[in-house]
Amino acid sequence: MKVDANQLANEPWEKTTALLAVPGGRDAFFNRDLRGAGAYKIQNYVRSGGKYIGFCAGGYFGCSGIVFEPNSPIQVVGDRPLGFFPGICKGTAYAGFRYDSEDGSKALKITIESDAFKKQKSTEWVVESKLSSPYVYYNGGGYFPDADAYAESGDSEACEDKYKSKSYVNVLSRYPEGVTDPEDRTVSVEGAPAVIACHYGKGVAILTGVHIEFSSKAFDGTHGRTLKSEVLEKLEAGSYDRVDYARGKGYREDGGNAYVYCPD
């Protein structure tokens, strides 16, 4: 079910919602439209046991701050209101991004931190079988510096917000080689976190710099989007692994609606 910023800020959606998904796009618009009442309700929803998943821009928006393409014409740098991840999201992870273009898009084979999946609380998700590293679509997402430092640090003051909500972070997947620091592209970042689970209060937020939700069919030209053949072939070949991965970290069915925030 699609919802907009006005609905998130003013309607009583929380008690009937099993999952809130925030898609890719432009984080600056999310910050403009949701900062204030909307962000407060989202934050309180997760703190009270709700579930949030942010893809790409939705992942940037779920952090305490963002550093996006600094010292460039498309620079976005600043704090963010949700703060599910106590640190910042830096991007783009790979150089060459352009808005409204597939020139910098990639099919990335992300690595899986198997132990992190197995550590999750049984009320959140369960992995029944061994997962294979999937190829996933990437175009402009960020990585989460210092995510490892917040792992299982629920008693750390650094992971405690002003409402005394304890949180800790699990790194679920990492980028392959080639990630560079957007503040200095000569600096390589090894093992950069690509997908993290932020345990926040009684709830959890999944933040991802890659698009685990996109299959190769999203780029068949029907929606005006096409990919380079080598990227498309990798996504097609890895479709089963991608679906298994998404299910492996998917939430148990608790009832309620899954809402997708759709900015104007």
Side-chain angles (χ1 to χ4, degrees):
M1 184 181 299
K2 296 180 179 180
V3 292
D4 59 23
N6 181 64
Q7 289 172 295
L8 289 175
N10 298 301
E11 295 186 8
W13 53 271
E14 299 96 312
K15 290 184 179 180
T16 60
T17 301
L19 171 69
L20 176 65
V22 178
R26 301 201 183 196
D27 152 272
F29 294 163
F30 300 171
N31 188 50
R32 178 196 67 191
D33 296 340
L34 290 172
R35 181 177 284 272
Y40 173 79
K41 290 185 71 174
I42 294 170
Q43 193 180 52
N44 192 56
Y45 160 71
V46 176
R47 183 186 298 113
S48 300
K51 302 174 181 70
Y52 172 106
I53 185 165
F55 303 102
C56 198
Y60 283 111
F61 186 61
C63 298
S64 291
I66 175 176
V67 175
F68 178 83
E69 292 297 294
N71 305 311
S72 78
I74 58 173
Q75 168 181 293
V76 179
V77 177
D79 68 317
R80 290 295 180 264
L82 295 180
F84 298 134
F85 177 55
I88 63 171
C89 186
K90 296 184 78 171
T92 58
Y94 295 86
F97 171 75
R98 290 173 54 196
Y99 278 118
D100 304 317
S101 170
E102 297 295 340
D103 289 350
S105 64
K106 301 177 183 293
L108 298 177
K109 196 175 186 67
I110 56 174
T111 61
I112 295 173
E113 300 289 290
S114 299
D115 289 343
F117 275 84
K118 295 174 183 176
K119 287 179 182 177
Q120 307 314 313
K121 303 172 187 177
S122 60
T123 54
E124 289 163 3
W125 65 76
V126 176
V127 177
E128 301 292 350
S129 60
K130 186 175 181 180
L131 298 172
S132 298
S133 295
Y135 275 108
V136 293
Y137 171 71
Y138 170 87
N139 194 7
Y143 64 96
F144 306 92
D146 302 322
D148 292 289
Y150 295 109
E152 298 192 52
S153 55
D155 293 326
S156 170
E157 292 182 2
C159 287
E160 189 172 328
D161 71 1
K162 64 182 179 180
Y163 297 100
K164 306 301 180 184
S165 296
K166 300 292 186 180
S167 65
Y168 65 90
V169 176
N170 290 135
V171 176
L172 300 182
S173 292
R174 300 180 190 274
Y175 286 104
E177 63 182 8
V179 175
T180 56
D181 187 335
E183 295 184 284
D184 183 353
R185 289 296 184 187
T186 66
V187 177
S188 296
V189 182
E190 301 299 327
V195 183
I196 60 175
C198 305
H199 303 264
Y200 186 82
K202 296 179 180 179
V204 64
I206 302 294
L207 308 180
T208 171
V210 295
H211 286 280
I212 60 173
E213 80 280 21
F214 282 172
S215 74
S216 59
K217 294 180 181 179
F219 305 98
D220 62 4
T222 303
H223 304 288
R225 305 182 67 169
T226 57
L227 292 177
K228 292 172 285 189
S229 59
E230 62 268 27
V231 175
L232 191 60
E233 288 169 4
K234 288 179 179 178
L235 292 179
E236 289 175 341
S239 60
Y240 288 108
D241 288 339
R242 182 191 61 80
V243 171
D244 284 346
Y245 177 87
R247 287 175 175 168
K249 68 171 208 50
Y251 299 104
R252 285 183 166 184
E253 181 57 54
D254 296 323
N257 299 309
Y259 286 111
V260 179
Y261 166 58
C262 295
D264 295 333

